[in-house]
Amino acid sequence: MTTIQDPPAAAVPAVATAVAGPAAPRRTTGDAEGVTGRRSWWGAVFAAPHSIGLVVFTAFPILASLVVSFMNWPMLGDRTFAGVENYVRLFSDPVFRTVALNTTLFVVLYVPLNLVVSLGLAAWLTPRIAGRHVFRVLFFIPTITPIVANVVVWRMLYQPDGAIDATLQSTIGVHAPNFLADQHWAMLAIVAMSVWQGFGYNMLIFSAALDAVPENQIEASQLDGANAWQTFWAIKFPLISPSVFFATMMTLITSFQVFTQPFVLTKGGPGTATETLVQYIYNTGFQNQQLGLASAGAWVLFVIILGITAVQFLGQKRWVHYE
């Protein structure tokens, strides 16, 4: 009697191998490292233009300015090593102390006003306001308009027989102060123009942060009997505190670097009443041609900004909530 037997067990893998073809060779560790190396090489190639530009146009000038600050470096002539003489001259110069106080006064006036105006307008521009997007655009236009053009317009407003003076004469019959020539009004005029120029950027940041506040938390506070003021300070402000911290930091840094407004409006006058640190550095380097002293002033300004930034970062833990 004939018995049908099953094929050998080895026949099935053989058939499968014949149908599927030879197995693909496995990539070894060396091959994987080669692919990773090639990818890293190409990444370095694509990043090279930016890296070279960063080194040539940022890192090298910063280090070069530090070296120049320790030298007697006229625009034309021999350069000699001066040590800390430039820094000693800076801190013994009464003009430098005056412009440092002017810059501090500008920062103290400008930063709070900018933040209050921008936060107040952002809180007002709720989704319930009709045409809020139009208002956002109108408030942001001064920020993107060339600052020199804005300064020229405000200079025409401030000057005698300008728009402000003419309005006061026609309404109450008195002349406006000579804002740009009076040392008591000149800095206030610069601060007012600067707030108008710069509040739009922070307003957009605050407006976006307020739009992200969960509606259910606002409704819960209203059910608990909180009014609009209590809801803002107890619910909204803690939730937008990271945005407030960011806006405060950026506004502080830029306000210490103020230059265009006083330079175009008053040339730092009357006298040195509105001259700022950056304008002092500019005048020292490009008008008096003392590049070493100007570089020393720039590094003093850098240390001031760095110190204030560090203090702000250390103090943020008390009022900034990231949860």
Side-chain angles (χ1 to χ4, degrees):
M1 187 172 94
T2 304
T3 303
I4 301 175
Q5 298 181 352
D6 296 331
V12 176
V15 173
T17 303
V19 173
R26 293 184 179 179
R27 181 173 293 174
T28 62
T29 304
D31 294 336
E33 292 178 353
V35 172
T36 303
R38 287 193 295 271
R39 290 177 178 175
S40 300
W41 186 82
W42 278 110
V45 169
F46 284 114
H50 175 76
S51 301
I52 294 173
L54 181 66
V55 171
V56 174
F57 298 107
T58 302
F60 177 74
I62 290 175
L63 294 177
S65 69
L66 180 61
V67 174
V68 173
S69 69
F70 292 101
M71 300 186 68
N72 181 15
W73 195 300
M75 189 77 71
L76 298 173
D78 297 331
R79 291 102 178 183
T80 58
F81 181 74
V84 296
E85 180 184 347
N86 289 326
Y87 293 93
V88 173
R89 289 178 59 189
L90 276 180
F91 290 107
S92 61
D93 185 2
V95 177
F96 180 79
R97 293 195 294 268
T98 300
V99 299
L101 290 175
N102 292 340
T103 305
T104 303
L105 177 61
F106 177 85
V107 172
V108 170
L109 294 175
Y110 170 74
V111 174
L113 283 174
N114 182 295
L115 295 175
V116 169
V117 172
S118 56
L119 185 57
L121 289 174
W124 173 67
L125 289 175
T126 62
R128 298 179 181 179
I129 299 296
R132 65 189 297 244
H133 300 297
V134 176
F135 285 111
R136 281 180 172 179
V137 172
L138 292 177
F139 292 148
F140 191 69
I141 285 177
T143 304
I144 59 176
T145 305
I147 187 171
V148 174
N150 289 336
V151 172
V152 170
V153 172
W154 277 79
R155 187 173 184 176
M156 292 188 292
L157 294 176
Y158 282 140
Q159 66 186 5
D161 296 328
I164 297 176
D165 190 24
T167 301
L168 289 178
Q169 289 187 56
S170 61
T171 54
I172 58 178
V174 297
H175 285 278
N178 191 351
F179 294 103
L180 303 181
D182 190 333
Q183 62 179 355
H184 298 98
W185 286 97
M187 183 60 74
L188 296 177
I190 292 173
V191 170
M193 182 267 153
S194 300
V195 171
W196 177 85
Q197 164 79 30
F199 78 88
Y201 180 78
N202 288 339
M203 182 210 65
L204 283 186
I205 294 176
F206 295 149
S207 182
L210 288 170
D211 289 346
V213 174
E215 191 67 27
N216 56 355
Q217 296 190 21
I218 299 176
E219 294 175 355
S221 66
Q222 293 173 348
L223 291 175
D224 290 338
N227 55 33
W229 185 258
Q230 293 170 333
T231 299
F232 179 82
W233 285 110
I235 304 297
K236 293 182 179 180
F237 187 82
L239 292 176
I240 69 171
S241 57
S243 298
V244 175
F245 173 71
F246 170 79
T248 303
M249 290 302 308
M250 297 303 297
T251 307
L252 271 171
I253 292 172
T254 56
S255 61
F256 271 102
Q257 301 174 14
V258 61
F259 171 74
T260 307
Q261 298 94 309
F263 183 77
V264 178
L265 276 176
T266 63
K267 298 293 184 182
T272 58
T274 59
E275 185 174 346
T276 60
L277 282 170
V278 176
Q279 189 174 353
Y280 177 87
I281 294 168
Y282 172 83
N283 292 336
T284 303
F286 295 101
Q287 293 186 1
N288 301 333
Q289 299 184 0
Q290 300 178 24
L291 298 182
L293 189 62
S295 297
W299 274 93
V300 170
L301 177 60
F302 170 76
V303 171
I304 292 173
I305 294 175
L306 183 64
I308 293 176
T309 303
V311 171
Q312 290 292 325
F313 270 97
L314 292 175
Q316 67 165 327
K317 299 178 181 178
R318 299 185 177 182
W319 64 278
V320 180
H321 305 277
Y322 289 102
E323 292 82 7

